[in-house]
């Protein structure tokens, strides 16, 4: 099996893992990691030969962009305090705890190398957290915090990792320089992200065509990442900024086709890239196996200690951080998402899985220092890091669904229904306001005006049937059943028409472009 065949196996696995994971109640990223582990153990499967410095630029931009599309700047702004406590403060705390533990148990490990190990295992993976949490029906407030943590903690951890690696390679360290690098990296990234977001938004208006606009959204995250890195900024933060800008300002309410096609396109990209990323995580197991040759007992002991530090440092930080957030929330009535019970705090704790970013960072550790000596304890760091990644991703990923069910943590469906009802009322009122404006501009017949008024009312009722009064609700439901029946018959008729047109494509003398144009017309009618 060559590298290309292996890539196709991972892509196929990414597609199959979604329905299999749904059937088995196991998150798809965990299944892909297990598939990668199995492939890594097969003798005929080649070692993955992707340069470490290409893993983050290839995988993270589309994954981050897809994740940001599911959120908004308003959500980040409202949750800035819990996100800060998790994405920034917890990364520092985890790095320090791991560095102290590694320095104590690994003989000859320099402090700078210990901090590098702490930085690369500190950030929970944003893709794993989002993918797993999204499938479990968790409360939206927990998903929001996990998404925010996952998107911002990579920024902090990657900058800290580069500082620690530079200190280990050069043998010198300046706290002031490290702090300045952190600030400059963030400033450059935000500037690049905003500039590219604004430019991409203007270019989309020029392109007009939905296909070209969606193609541009695939290129923009990569451009944002590469440009920021070239200017010594944070590529991850630049992609995040660009995606938030486009999510806020790049959406045209009337551009229905672009929105529908873009949603489908990014779901496909998210599924395939996520599958490949976690398949690669499992495939990199061979590095750990090669490192542990003849030293399994010693290395497993060190890895177990660091795994314990990583897992329980998160719990010991979450307990007081959640308590403090609740106190401030109650005192000042902040509009933010916070865990409301110890059960939700436990789920947040167990959701701290490591993944793609940690793999890329551990593989990017240099082979030598500036003096030409081997990087200190590089093999030991690689083994310990993979122990943390595999344990948290597989063990926590497999047991998180059970834990969620056991604790009874689930989405607040009543709150979601109330929010949907409020939006339905706003939508119906907006439609009625526009109808009144049209009545003032145009002379509408009374019959047509009444019909359109009923349509405006139906807009809200179709979104939330609870808007209908009790005596009208059953009538609406009967009408909805009748409409559903009519639509089913229309779909059957359109299906027969599509089959007939498609059959003409293979007839002698048929122009395939004309056939495809008519077929697209029928498809759009079916969509409407």
């Amino acid at each position: 099996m060559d590298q290309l065949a292996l890539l196709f196996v991972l892509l196929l696995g990414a597609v199959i893992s979604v329905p299999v994971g749904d059937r088995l109640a196991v998150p798809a990223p965990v299944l892909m990691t297990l598939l990668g582990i199995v492939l890594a153990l097969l003798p005929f499967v080649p070692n993955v030969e992707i340069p470490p410095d290409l893993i983050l630029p290839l995988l993270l931009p589309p994954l981050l962009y897809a994740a940001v599309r599911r959120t908004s700047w308003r959500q980040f702004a409202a949750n800035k305090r819990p996100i800060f406590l998790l994405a920034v403060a917890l990364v520092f705390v985890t790095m320090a705890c791991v560095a102290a533990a590694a320095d104590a148990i690994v003989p000859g490990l320099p402090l700078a190398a210990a901090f590098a190990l702490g930085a690369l295992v500190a950030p929970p993976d944003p893709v794993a957290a989002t993918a797993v949490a999204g499938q479990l029906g968790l409360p939206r407030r927990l998903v929001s915090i996990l998404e925010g943590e996952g998107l911002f903690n990579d920024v902090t951890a990657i900058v800290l990792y580069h500082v620690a690696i530079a200190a280990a390679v050069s043998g010198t360290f300046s706290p002031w320089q490290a702090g300045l690098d952190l600030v400059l990296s963030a400033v450059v990234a935000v500037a690049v992200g905003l500039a590219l977001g604004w430019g991409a938004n203007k270019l989309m208006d020029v392109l007009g065509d939905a296909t070209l606009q969606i193609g541009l959204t695939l290129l923009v995250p990569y451009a944002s990442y590469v440009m920021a890195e070239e200017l010594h900024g944070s590529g991850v933060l630049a992609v995040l900024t660009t995606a938030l800008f486009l999510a806020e300002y790049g959406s045209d309410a009337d551009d229905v086709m672009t929105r529908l096609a873009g949603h489908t396109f990014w779901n496909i990209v998210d599924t395939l890239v996520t599958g490949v990323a976690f398949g690669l995580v499992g495939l990199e197991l061979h590095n750990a196996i090669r490192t542990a040759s003849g030293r399994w007992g010693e290395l497993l002991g060190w890895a177990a200690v660091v795994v314990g530090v990583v897992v329980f440092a998160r719990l010991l930080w979450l307990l007081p951080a959640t308590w403090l957030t609740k106190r401030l929330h109650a005192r000042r009535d902040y509009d933010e998402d916070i865990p409301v019970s110890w059960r939700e705090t436990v789920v947040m704790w167990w959701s701290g899985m490591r993944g793609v970013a940690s793999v890329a960072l551990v593989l990017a550790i240099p082979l030598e220092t500036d003096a030409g000596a081997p990087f200190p304890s590089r093999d030991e760091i690689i083994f310990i890091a993979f122990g943390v990644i595999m344990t948290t991703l597989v063990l926590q990923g497999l047991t998180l669904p059970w834990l969620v069910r056991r604790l009874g943590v689930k989405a607040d469906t009543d709150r979601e229904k109330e929010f949907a009802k409020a939006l339905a009322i706003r939508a119906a009122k907006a439609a009625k306001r526009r109808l009144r404006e049209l009545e003032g501009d145009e002379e509408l017949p009374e019959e047509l005006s009444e019909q359109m008024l009923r349509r405006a009312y139906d807009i809200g009722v179709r979104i939330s049937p609870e808007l209908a009064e009790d005596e009208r609700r059953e009538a609406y439901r009967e009408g909805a059943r009748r409409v559903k029946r009519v639509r089913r018959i229309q779909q059957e008729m359109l299906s027969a028409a599509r089959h007939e047109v498609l059959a003409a494509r293979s007839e002698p003398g048929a122009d395939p472009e004309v056939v495809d144009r008519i077929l697209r017309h029928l498809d759009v009618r079916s969509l409407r």
Side-chain angles (χ1 to χ4, degrees):
M1 179 183 293
D2 59 17
Q3 298 281 334
L4 184 60
L6 182 59
L7 175 61
F8 283 121
V9 170
L10 292 179
L11 290 171
L12 178 61
V15 174
I16 296 176
S17 66
V18 175
V20 173
D22 291 340
R23 184 177 293 267
L24 299 178
V26 176
V30 177
L31 286 181
M32 284 304 300
T33 304
L34 295 174
L35 173 63
I37 292 174
V38 171
L39 292 175
L41 297 176
L42 298 177
F44 57 86
V45 176
N47 292 338
V48 180
E49 297 177 359
I50 300 178
D53 56 347
L54 290 182
I55 293 180
L56 283 178
L58 285 175
L59 298 179
L60 272 189
L63 293 177
L64 290 172
Y65 190 87
V68 173
R69 284 173 57 87
R70 295 188 289 267
T71 184
S72 68
W73 170 250
R74 171 69 181 81
Q75 196 172 69
F76 279 118
N79 297 319
K80 56 183 178 294
R81 187 174 53 243
I83 288 174
F84 172 82
L85 288 173
L86 290 172
V88 180
L90 182 53
V91 169
F92 275 92
V93 170
T94 304
M95 180 184 70
C97 292
V98 170
D103 182 62
I105 64 175
V106 181
L109 180 68
L111 191 58
F115 272 104
L117 171 62
L120 67 90
V121 299
D125 188 84
V127 182
T130 303
V132 172
Q135 295 179 357
L136 298 180
L138 295 178
R140 182 59 204 172
R141 56 182 173 273
L142 285 190
V143 178
S144 299
I145 297 174
L146 290 172
E147 286 177 344
E149 176 195 11
L151 291 171
F152 278 99
N153 61 24
D154 278 355
V155 177
T156 308
I158 290 173
V159 174
L160 293 176
Y161 165 85
H162 285 306
V163 171
I165 289 293
V169 169
S170 64
T172 59
F173 174 72
S174 169
W176 293 108
Q177 186 62 41
L180 181 61
D181 289 343
L182 182 62
V183 173
L184 288 178
S185 175
V187 171
V188 170
V190 171
V192 170
L194 290 175
L196 277 179
W198 180 85
N201 192 26
K202 296 298 182 182
L203 187 55
M204 284 185 185
D205 293 337
V206 175
L207 293 176
D209 182 72
T211 303
L212 300 178
Q213 290 178 339
I214 295 169
L216 180 64
T217 63
L218 180 61
L219 299 178
V220 165
Y222 287 107
S224 184
Y225 187 97
V226 172
M227 187 176 295
E229 290 289 329
E230 288 294 323
L231 297 175
H232 304 288
S234 169
V236 175
L237 182 57
V239 174
L240 183 62
T241 305
T242 301
L244 284 173
F245 185 94
L246 291 176
E248 194 75 16
Y249 301 106
S251 179
D252 183 358
D254 293 325
D255 196 356
V256 178
M257 191 58 67
T258 298
R259 187 161 48 251
L260 290 174
H263 180 75
T264 302
F265 172 80
W266 276 102
N267 279 344
I268 295 171
V269 171
D270 193 21
T271 299
L272 294 179
V273 180
T274 299
V276 171
F278 285 95
L280 290 176
V281 171
L283 280 167
E284 290 298 339
L285 178 67
H286 66 83
N287 284 300
I289 295 175
R290 185 179 65 246
T291 299
S293 179
R295 304 173 57 194
W296 281 99
E298 183 182 47
L299 290 174
L300 285 174
W302 294 344
V305 170
V306 174
V307 168
V309 170
V310 167
V311 172
F312 287 101
R314 181 176 177 85
L315 176 63
L316 295 177
W317 177 261
L318 277 177
L319 293 175
T322 303
W323 174 83
L324 177 62
T325 305
K326 286 181 181 178
R327 289 291 300 270
L328 293 175
H329 181 87
R331 182 178 302 174
R332 302 184 184 181
D333 194 26
Y334 282 106
D335 183 20
E336 64 186 3
D337 297 313
I338 60 172
V340 297
S341 67
W342 66 268
R343 292 179 176 84
E344 293 186 1
T345 302
V346 170
V347 171
M348 281 189 60
W349 163 51
W350 204 243
S351 299
M353 294 158 283
R354 275 58 181 174
V356 180
S358 296
V359 171
L361 293 179
V362 73
L363 294 179
I365 296 176
L367 297 174
E368 297 179 347
T369 64
D370 289 344
F375 190 92
S377 304
R378 186 178 188 272
D379 290 343
E380 288 79 0
I381 292 174
I382 290 176
F383 186 90
I384 293 171
F386 272 101
V388 174
I389 295 166
M390 294 301 174
T391 302
T392 57
L393 185 57
V394 176
L395 176 62
Q396 292 180 314
L398 287 175
T399 56
L400 184 60
W402 172 85
L403 182 66
V404 170
R405 291 193 300 269
R406 184 77 175 177
L407 294 177
V409 177
K410 55 186 178 181
D412 187 354
T413 54
D414 292 337
R415 182 181 177 185
E416 292 179 359
K417 287 180 180 179
E418 286 299 317
F419 183 59
K421 183 177 179 179
L423 281 182
I425 294 173
R426 290 174 57 182
K429 287 182 177 180
K432 291 177 182 178
R433 281 197 305 270
R434 183 56 181 157
L435 176 60
R436 298 306 180 196
E437 293 171 0
L438 292 174
E439 286 177 339
D441 297 337
E442 306 176 20
E443 294 184 2
L444 298 181
E446 183 178 351
E447 180 181 353
L448 178 59
S449 180
E450 292 179 357
Q451 181 182 359
M452 290 298 100
L453 187 62
R454 287 194 299 271
R455 294 265 181 105
Y457 176 78
D458 286 344
I459 289 175
V461 175
R462 289 180 187 279
I463 298 173
S464 177
E466 300 299 321
L467 290 181
E469 297 86 352
D470 291 339
E471 61 272 13
R472 296 188 60 183
R473 194 170 299 160
E474 185 57 37
Y476 168 76
R477 287 173 179 165
E478 178 60 32
R481 284 192 290 267
R482 185 169 59 252
V483 170
K484 186 176 181 180
R485 184 180 182 186
V486 170
R487 286 182 176 175
R488 179 180 58 80
I489 295 173
Q490 288 178 336
Q491 288 296 333
E492 293 287 346
M493 294 165 59
L494 285 168
S495 175
R498 285 194 300 269
H499 279 83
E500 187 66 25
V501 171
L502 196 58
R505 206 176 195 277
S506 58
E507 294 176 356
D511 187 338
E513 290 190 6
V514 175
V515 172
D516 291 343
R517 186 170 66 247
I518 295 175
L519 195 59
R520 278 196 298 272
H521 171 76
L522 293 174
D523 288 340
V524 172
R525 285 289 304 275
S526 299
L527 188 63
R528 290 174 180 172

